[in-house]
Amino acid sequence: MPAEIYLNVAISGLLTGLVYGLMALGLSVIFGVVRVVNFAHGEMMTIAMYLAVALFASFKLDPLLMLLPIAGVLFLLGYAMQNWLITPFINRPEHAQFMLLIAVAIIMVNGLLIVFGPDAQNVQTSYSFDSFAIGPLIIDATKVYAGLAAIVVAAALFAFFKFSLTGKAIRACADNYTGALVVGLDVRRLYALTFGLGAACVGAAGAILVLIIDVTPPLGPAFTLLAFIIVIVGGLGSMPGALLGGVLIGVTEALAGLLFTPSAKSMFAFAILVLVLLFRPEGIMGKRAS
Amino acid sequence: MLKVEDLDVFYGDARALDGVSLDVPEGAIVAIVGANGAGKTSLIRTIAGMHKPARGRIALRGADIAGLPSFKVCNLGIGQVAEGRLVFPTLTVSENLEMGAMLPRARALQKQNMDRVLAMFPVLAERSGQAAGTLSGGEQQMLAIGRCLMGNPELVMFDEPSLGLAPAVVQAVLQTIRDLNRDGLTCVLVEQNVAVSLKLASRAYVLENGRITLSGSGAELLADDRVRKAYLGL
Ligand SMILES: Nc1ncnc2c1ncn2[C@@H]1O[C@H](COP(=O)(O)OP(=O)(O)O)[C@@H](O)[C@H]1O
Ligand SMILES: [Mg+2]
């Protein structure tokens, strides 16, 4: 095979990986602040994907244009989940939280099955078959837009946490929970906002990803798992780590699909997880526990 | 200003406070002394709305505030300089101060309070862009006090503010409390350094195993044999 093919596939994997990274960023933000593992993460992404499919099928609305509204809907879903479902469980043992979120995930998968059925659905935009030729490289236009959209959303999130007062207050809660209570931050509201923001990330990722892959309800659990792998590879609690982990897994999966068979790609994602756990258990950008 | 009546607090089945009553008059420094584990921090945190009392009344200017969440209590003007300082280590010094001013009561006064805090602790201005976790213990205590003042409180509860600090810094912290009180701030002071806190206090309570066993003016307790024996080693 000519060398360009590897580069083409790697770039395509990188662009998809940015979207994976955005999805994982949501999981990482929620865990980093609220200390809750969102076991319904991938399922929430499939909800966003179906929203995009339905909006496209009914109104011919482009998923990239619908990215903000879909992220907004998922924000509300996440806010409500944290405020009315998870907060009442906050003082219960961890396995109770785990069961709660698994139950939510199962309800979501089956709800989607009831509403949309088991068949794969997708979105065919006018630019589905466009591509950019850069020298010998040929890159799908869709993936370029997808990667750029993921970067824009992630950058907006970083800016929010760095510069806005509410973003700083959320970081303060993550830094010192008791300290946040002491200064009079409304931690319950900030936790709900954080869960909402994490859900908005995964919602945006879903709206983007629907351009690249077909959606079926069972995709949810698979993507929950993928988000865990990415977050652990990138470093638990590190926001840049989640993006980097996404890119790494995206490129690995793409190259594995090319060199072996597409069905082997998860195996390689797991292999990376195992290597990271063996040699850098805190993750690529994670801080070593002191 | 603040009146606590018959407060019971539990952690699970373990009783931390047993029928605690106390009175904090406006403009006073009220000291609470007691051994480790007596329940001083539990008392402060319950007043602050961080624990729900099983029983009892906490009245601020006559209005019952027991059971309100902490952000509401803070917004009524009850601030806290917590045991262990509890600054936000990865936030910068100025971000830490901004967090103190998130209360609705303090938002409009942020600029003015910031100037006041930085004038009081110039070192915080020098280190404004530095992560709070990189400050020395004394600087962190100043930041904790400054952060609390950013919330524009009328009453501040200091929980062991001199714990783990060098003697010179301890003096500075106590002088700060004295100055704040002179400017009209009502203070509740929990201190390891019993002799000093009783000298500062107009009123003092001794807390033992979750109960108030003794109360009186600072001078009275300072002269009390039981206090001298148990807390002053005399
Ligand atoms: N979060 C907690 N959970 C269970 N027990 C606690 C907790 N905090 C304090 N206690 C217990 O309550 C009692 C009072 O503690 P505390 O209020 O910290 O005392 P002090 O501040 O006077 O040292 C102690 O016996 C302590 O072990
Ligand atoms: Mg204490």
Side-chain angles (χ1 to χ4, degrees), chain A residues 13-25 28 150-151 154 158 226-227 229-235 238-252 272 276 280 283-286:
Chain A
L14 181 146
L15 294 169
T16 310
L18 285 167
V19 187
Y20 289 174
L22 179 61
M23 164 188 76
L25 190 57
S28 182
I151 289 176
F158 282 98
L226 188 67
I229 294 175
I230 291 171
V231 165
I232 293 168
V233 165
S238 159
M239 291 179 38
L243 280 185
L244 188 72
V247 168
L248 187 63
I249 296 289
V251 171
T252 308
I272 291 204
V276 165
R280 204 176 152 81
I284 294 170
M285 310 218 20

Side-chain angles (χ1 to χ4, degrees), chain B residues 35-37 39-42 83 159-160 190 192:
Chain B
N36 256 334
K40 307 178 296 293
T41 299
S42 301
E83 183 176 51
D159 196 351
E160 313 225 11
V190 167
Q192 287 281 303

